[in-house]
Amino acid sequence: MSQLTAEDEVELQSLLKQLLRNINDRISGAPSTECAEEILLHLEETDKDFHNYEFVKYLRQYVESSLGTVVEEETKILTRGDGQHSVGSGHDTLIHAVTRRTRDSAEYQQMMQTLKNTMIMVVESLINKFEEDQMRKEEMHREKQHSQSNSQYTDNCSDSDSSFNQVRDTFYLFIAS
């Protein structure tokens, strides 16, 4: 599963937006960009719900499916048939050795490169959508202001013109919401 599809990208966009909504208060309360970065870097340590976020679950499943066989193979290589470790004593030593060897593997490098490229595209797409939404909102706001200034002029016209203006203003308000 090392390659991510277009459907994966769309799903990641949705999951990332959901995560950002969930942690919005924490990030927006940060006094600087650096502080917001620190909050994100330590989110696992500080957010009791971290492992329940769908984005995190998706990434965990992606890593497991991409590297599961590598971890199993490295564990077999580093343990003897009798369950003893061939890399010193202790459980931590085995975990560190398997982790190191997995991180040195071609599969890990490919997974990380694919994930990095995909996330760059996902974030850029979210930023572009945000900017487009902002421009649309600004345009609607300008149109609304323009229609309000025009309606002041046409308020002196007949009742049928006034009704038309009310319908038009209602339509603009509906679109703007």
Side-chain angles (χ1 to χ4, degrees):
M1 177 182 174
S2 196
Q3 295 301 320
L4 293 169
T5 65
E7 292 83 21
D8 292 321
E9 290 177 28
V10 170
E11 185 175 3
L12 279 168
Q13 278 183 10
S14 172
L15 296 175
L16 184 57
K17 279 173 56 174
Q18 182 184 45
L19 172 68
L20 292 173
R21 275 190 217 110
N22 287 332
I23 62 171
N24 182 42
D25 292 341
R26 299 178 88 186
I27 295 173
S28 60
S32 68
T33 304
E34 292 80 17
C35 290
E37 267 183 47
E38 283 298 311
I39 290 169
L40 289 173
L41 287 173
H42 298 285
L43 198 58
E44 183 177 13
E45 301 161 16
T46 60
D47 188 338
K48 62 182 172 67
D49 294 323
F50 179 81
H51 293 282
N52 295 325
Y53 295 128
E54 293 301 317
F55 181 76
V56 174
K57 290 177 183 179
Y58 182 95
L59 290 178
R60 183 182 314 124
Q61 188 267 331
Y62 175 72
V63 169
E64 286 174 5
S65 65
S66 297
L67 298 177
T69 56
V70 175
V71 171
E72 288 174 19
E73 289 172 10
E74 293 301 331
T75 302
K76 285 180 187 175
I77 290 170
L78 294 171
T79 57
R80 297 185 287 225
D82 59 2
Q84 296 296 314
H85 309 301
S86 61
V87 288
S89 62
H91 185 68
D92 286 342
T93 305
L94 175 64
I95 291 172
H96 290 298
V98 170
T99 301
R100 181 178 31 77
R101 290 177 73 156
T102 300
R103 289 188 73 175
D104 291 341
S105 71
E107 293 87 347
Y108 177 83
Q109 300 303 320
Q110 179 186 4
M111 180 202 70
M112 290 302 291
Q113 190 62 45
T114 300
L115 192 56
K116 177 182 173 184
N117 291 340
T118 301
M119 290 309 298
I120 287 171
M121 290 173 30
V122 164
V123 170
E124 285 177 353
S125 177
L126 287 174
I127 290 170
N128 290 339
K129 285 180 183 178
F130 174 78
E131 289 173 346
E132 289 170 9
D133 287 347
Q134 289 300 107
M135 288 176 22
R136 243 189 317 269
K137 285 179 184 177
E138 289 172 8
E139 181 62 30
M140 285 184 201
H141 181 69
R142 280 193 295 272
E143 288 176 3
K144 181 180 166 188
Q145 285 180 329
H146 180 70
S147 74
Q148 286 175 347
S149 67
N150 282 346
S151 75
Q152 289 174 354
Y153 171 74
T154 57
D155 280 346
N156 298 328
C157 298
S158 72
D159 286 341
S160 63
D161 288 339
S162 179
S163 297
F164 173 76
N165 289 331
Q166 287 176 342
V167 169
R168 185 190 65 206
D169 290 343
T170 303
F171 177 72
Y172 281 139
L173 288 173
F174 175 76
I175 291 175
S177 343

